[in-house]
Amino acid sequence: QVQLVESGGGLVQAGGSLRLSCAASGRPLSSYTMAWFRQAPGKEREFVATITRSGGSTNYTESVKGRFTVSRDNAKNTVYLQMNSLKPEDTAVYYCAARPFYQPDFGSWGQGTQVTVSS
């Protein structure tokens, strides 16, 4: 099973940018569809973005379209989430997740990284 470690979170003012990274180990990242999720205090975890194994296709939740970009570097076994024009409502713990191509669910998760956007 692949192990995932997120980094890059922090405190930023509204309108600012952050770049999250998700480093994978244990298995080649190229075998996995990857996704980012987030969970705000008192709310359920929600989907943010996903990227196919080759990186050729991405999908985003409506609230981050045009502001967030998911990408991957399979050679570095790393997935990224570039977050621009951040809003206070983006404040959450961000998690990356991996889904093997032969399974329907995201079975591997990182520990999360906190993103706090101040107004």
Side-chain angles (χ1 to χ4, degrees):
Q1 191 157 349
V2 67
Q3 288 80 47
L4 305 172
V5 178
E6 303 95 335
S7 62
L11 173 64
V12 64
Q13 288 187 335
S17 298
L18 282 174
R19 187 195 198 199
L20 305 184
S21 298
C22 173
S25 62
R27 296 284 178 89
L29 195 65
S30 57
S31 298
Y32 297 85
T33 293
M34 299 297 296
W36 288 93
F37 292 78
R38 66 186 180 185
Q39 187 166 19
K43 296 186 178 180
E44 293 190 354
R45 186 168 58 194
E46 66 169 346
F47 165 79
V48 176
T50 190
I51 185 167
T52 54
R53 287 182 289 151
S54 67
S57 180
T58 58
N59 192 30
Y60 301 89
T61 191
E62 194 64 34
S63 63
V64 308
K65 285 182 179 178
R67 300 188 297 122
F68 290 12
T69 302
V70 59
S71 62
R72 65 192 297 160
D73 185 337
N74 286 340
K76 294 183 177 179
N77 256 18
T78 303
V79 178
Y80 305 97
L81 185 67
Q82 178 67 44
M83 306 186 295
N84 299 328
S85 301
L86 282 161
K87 304 176 181 180
E89 51 263 43
D90 295 318
T91 295
V93 178
Y94 284 71
Y95 301 89
C96 68
R99 179 177 69 79
F101 65 91
Y102 50 86
Q103 290 184 356
D105 300 320
F106 287 93
S108 298
W109 294 80
Q111 83 290 347
T113 186
Q114 176 71 47
V115 171
T116 303
V117 184
S118 63
S119 57

